């Protein structure tokens, strides 16, 4: 398995000034992996601007056109975890051999390797082997290589051997094109002026644009109406304006107790009953998300628990959110208590 998501393609990646260099370099690499001078290819830029989409599109292109090539997509986080496990299980050689067999290695969010000396060392050796064998390496990062503090110089200097291209915030016209493409893919028709209104209003990143489309569709089907200017305005108002509203400890406690129908005193007690533990962990998670309280203060609201309990709760819920659709749905509902949309 290459661990690629086949939905990320060049066809559904909208080109604009914001990503032109990265996209065209990416296409060149996709057509002739390991052969162009764009090796490694490093795409950087802030969150939600299409880095993962682009590097996976390259992988999918290679996988589909050169079926004999072993393409592998991995996040740096996963790479780190695999490395740690390999040490634990005494399988470091197998780990290294596996990565050295790859024809095209796509490694996402390399900033995650910062400060992880041993993992960087291992990546360095794999990188060298692949590069010397004419294999393609593609990376993404949330910042420019020169801003990657905690990364070994020898690794940074290799990142610069190939091409480094940034992705930026899409401009107005590109935002329109992206919205049109997404709506078209979902088979939704919206008037041009509504699209323009949306493109004007959401100027942060593409992921947020997608979030707004999802909310629009939800609102439209809920109210059994079309996505018109009216609906667009109210939807955006909920997302953009009410987002500013502060979420407090008390509002979180209220939302959690009423949603799960638990007593405030139980929630704040040391009870280990399943019916209270889960809501309590959710409440801790929400406090971590929405308030600036230090973990210790969060623990204080729940019978004076220490910060490690809070960390555990946050981790537990984070994992559940990733793996359990019901928990994700519950969280969506809780966000609605605060007039927020989880995107
Ligand atoms: P990043 O990895 O930079 O945080 P992603 O690649 O995950 O961002 O992009 C966030 C979302 O926005 C994805 O669903 C992606 O498909 C979409 N997206 C980003 N840029 C574009 C683009 N130029 N055209 C179409 N969709 C895009
Ligand atoms: Mg990404």
């Amino acid at each position: 398995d290459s661990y690629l998501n086949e939905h990320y393609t060049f066809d559904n990646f909208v080109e604009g000034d914001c990503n032109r260099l990265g996209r065209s370099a990416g296409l060149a690499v996709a057509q002739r992996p390991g052969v162009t001078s764009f090796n490694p290819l490093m795409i950087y830029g802030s969150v939600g601007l299409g880095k993962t989409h682009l590097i996976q599109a390259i992988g999918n292109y290679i996988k589909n056109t050169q079926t004999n090539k072993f393409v592998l997509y991995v996040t740096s986080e996963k790479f780190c975890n695999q490395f740690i496990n390999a040490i634990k299980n005494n399988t470091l050689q197998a780990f290294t051999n596996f990565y050295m067999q790859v024809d095209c290695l796509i490694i996402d969010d390399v900033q995650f390797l910062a400060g992880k000396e041993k993992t960087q060392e291992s990546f360095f050796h794999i990188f060298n082997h692949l590069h010397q064998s004419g294999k393609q390496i593609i990376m993404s990062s949330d910042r420019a290589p020169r801003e990657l503090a905690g990364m070994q110089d020898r690794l940074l200097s290799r990142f610069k051997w190939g091409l480094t291209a940034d992705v930026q915030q899409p401009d107005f016209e590109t935002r329109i094109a992206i919205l049109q493409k997404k709506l078209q893919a979902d088979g939704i028709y919206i008037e041009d002026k509504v699209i323009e209104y949306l493109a004007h209003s959401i100027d942060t990143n593409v992921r947020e644009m997608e979030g707004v489309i999802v909310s629009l569709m939800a609102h439209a089907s809920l109210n059994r109406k079309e996505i018109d200017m009216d609906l667009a305005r109210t939807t955006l108002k909920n997302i953009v304006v009410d987002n500013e509203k502060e979420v407090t400890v008390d509002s979180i406690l209220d939302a959690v107790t009423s949603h799960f129908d638990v007593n405030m005193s139980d929630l704040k007690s040391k009870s280990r009953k399943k019916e209270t533990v889960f809501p309590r962990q959710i409440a801790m998670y929400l406090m971590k998300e929405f308030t600036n309280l230090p973990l210790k203060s969060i623990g204080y609201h729940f019978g004076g628990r220490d910060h490690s309990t809070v960390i555990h709760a946050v981790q537990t819920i984070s994992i559940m959110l990733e793996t359990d659709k019901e928990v994700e749905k519950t969280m969506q509902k809780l966000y609605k208590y605060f007039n927020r949309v989880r995107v």
Side-chain angles (χ1 to χ4, degrees), residues 8 12-14 19 46-53 178 182 206-207 210:
Y8 291 128
N12 59 22
F13 187 79
V14 175
N19 58 35
S46 62
V47 68
L49 296 180
K51 300 182 296 296
T52 298
H53 187 138
I178 291 173
K182 304 267 172 208
V206 184
R207 187 169 290 146
E210 290 180 337

Side-chain angles (χ1 to χ4, degrees), residues 323-334:
T323 52
D324 188 336
K325 284 242 153 52
E326 285 306 312
V327 177
E328 170 65 27
K329 267 193 216 152
T330 302
M331 195 56 88
Q332 302 273 12
K333 283 187 193 145
L334 283 161

